[in-house]
Amino acid sequence: NAGVTQTPKFRILKIGQSMTLQCAQDMNHNYMYWYRQDPGMGLKLIYYSVGAGITDKGEVPNGYNVSRSTTEDFPLRLELAAPSQTSVYFCASGQGLNQPQHFGDGTRLSIL
Amino acid sequence: DQQVKQNSPSLSVQEGRISILNCDYTNSMFDYFLWYKKYPAEGPTFLISISSIKDKNEDGRFTVFLNKSAKHLSLHIVPSQPGDSAVYFCAASVTSGTYKYIFGTGTRLKVLA
């Protein structure tokens, strides 16, 4: 039972490069989320989706884009990487209201 | 504006004793609260939750207490075990019209054997 799978686990980017962080879940959850966690901080919501084709901004969306073409996948795109985007990124999925989220193990991203 | 606050960055407790982790919030509209546990190099895992219609929820060694008038919740772990050593996050949401959770900054619990 895979749950939420994130790839890659680690990545180093140069300033200005772009990349896509992959997230897939096999629990048939409608709701999916992307968070970033900076050192000593809590999780900040970047984007979320309540179903295929529906996405919305969270607290810190600038510099990121998302798409949700299927229930299973919710990729996060960084178009022009900046040092401020160095962080650990977590993807999560859930069944909705009053339900806990299930998290992947994270992608540690460094931008130099 | 930190709507969910965990003012203690770290806590050390002897094995077998009670661990009490605290969380304060400012938004009176929050009506659902959760605690997550996080080990290094892993994602957070759900521990226990409570709805605002309750003031206590218990699951084995874990109990969450909610004091709505004080906008305060706490997680009690009894008895504490070395495997409980982790970072604990509280999170809160307004369940009507939104699916977003606001997380605190976490408290690192160390249970000493």
Side-chain angles (χ1 to χ4, degrees), chain B residues 99-111:
Chain B
Y99 307 96
K100 298 187 286 187
Y101 295 85
I102 305 297
F103 283 79
T105 53
T107 295
R108 183 178 302 277
L109 173 66
K110 188 171 184 178
V111 180

Side-chain angles (χ1 to χ4, degrees), chain A residues 2 18 22 27 34 66 69-70 92:
Chain A
S18 61
Q22 301 291 344
M27 296 171 283
W34 273 106
V66 294
S69 57
T70 67

Side-chain angles (χ1 to χ4, degrees), chain A residues 19-70:
Chain A
M19 79 163 292
T20 299
L21 282 67
Q22 301 291 344
C23 176
Q25 54 97 3
D26 62 0
M27 296 171 283
N28 203 32
H29 288 163
N30 282 325
Y31 306 100
M32 296 189 74
Y33 309 81
W34 273 106
Y35 294 90
R36 58 177 287 174
Q37 184 188 14
D38 299 325
M41 304 295 289
L43 284 77
K44 298 289 188 184
L45 182 64
I46 305 172
Y47 271 95
Y48 68 103
S49 170
V50 300
I54 307 170
T55 62
D56 205 351
K57 296 178 180 178
E59 301 170 81
V60 289
N62 291 343
Y64 307 95
N65 278 300
V66 294
S67 60
R68 184 93 183 273
S69 57
T70 67

Side-chain angles (χ1 to χ4, degrees), chain A residues 10 31 33 35 37 40-45 48 50 56-59 88 90 96-106 108, chain B residues 1-2 31-32 34 36 38 41-46 49 51 87 89 93-106:
Chain A
F10 305 95
Y31 306 100
Y33 309 81
Y35 294 90
Q37 184 188 14
M41 304 295 289
L43 284 77
K44 298 289 188 184
L45 182 64
Y48 68 103
V50 300
D56 205 351
K57 296 178 180 178
E59 301 170 81
V88 181
F90 291 101
L97 296 177
N98 287 1
Q99 297 292 328
Q101 298 173 351
H102 300 259
F103 284 82
D105 284 338
R108 186 174 297 273
Chain B
D1 178 27
Q2 191 72 24
D31 56 4
Y32 184 61
L34 311 92
Y36 286 86
K38 185 184 179 304
E42 294 183 8
T45 56
F46 170 71
S49 63
S51 165
V87 177
F89 292 97
S93 73
V94 179
T95 54
S96 59
T98 179
Y99 307 96
K100 298 187 286 187
Y101 295 85
I102 305 297
F103 283 79
T105 53

Side-chain angles (χ1 to χ4, degrees), chain B residues 7-105:
Chain B
N7 292 317
S8 297
S10 63
L11 174 69
S12 291
V13 171
Q14 285 294 131
E15 182 180 5
R17 301 289 188 119
I18 184 172
S19 295
I20 301 176
L21 294 91
N22 294 303
C23 181
D24 297 295
Y25 60 96
T26 58
N27 188 344
S28 58
M29 297 296 290
F30 286 145
D31 56 4
Y32 184 61
F33 305 88
L34 311 92
W35 285 95
Y36 286 86
K37 179 168 71 173
K38 185 184 179 304
Y39 292 119
E42 294 183 8
T45 56
F46 170 71
L47 198 56
I48 192 169
S49 63
I50 188 167
S51 165
S52 61
I53 62 173
K54 294 185 173 182
D55 54 19
K56 175 183 174 181
N57 189 26
E58 196 170 353
D59 183 1
R61 296 186 297 114
F62 303 92
T63 303
V64 56
F65 295 92
L66 176 62
N67 183 334
K68 291 184 288 293
S69 61
K71 295 191 182 69
H72 177 83
L73 67 155
S74 60
L75 174 67
H76 293 210
I77 306 173
V78 184
S80 301
Q81 299 173 353
D84 297 329
S85 297
V87 177
Y88 289 79
F89 292 97
C90 65
S93 73
V94 179
T95 54
S96 59
T98 179
Y99 307 96
K100 298 187 286 187
Y101 295 85
I102 305 297
F103 283 79
T105 53

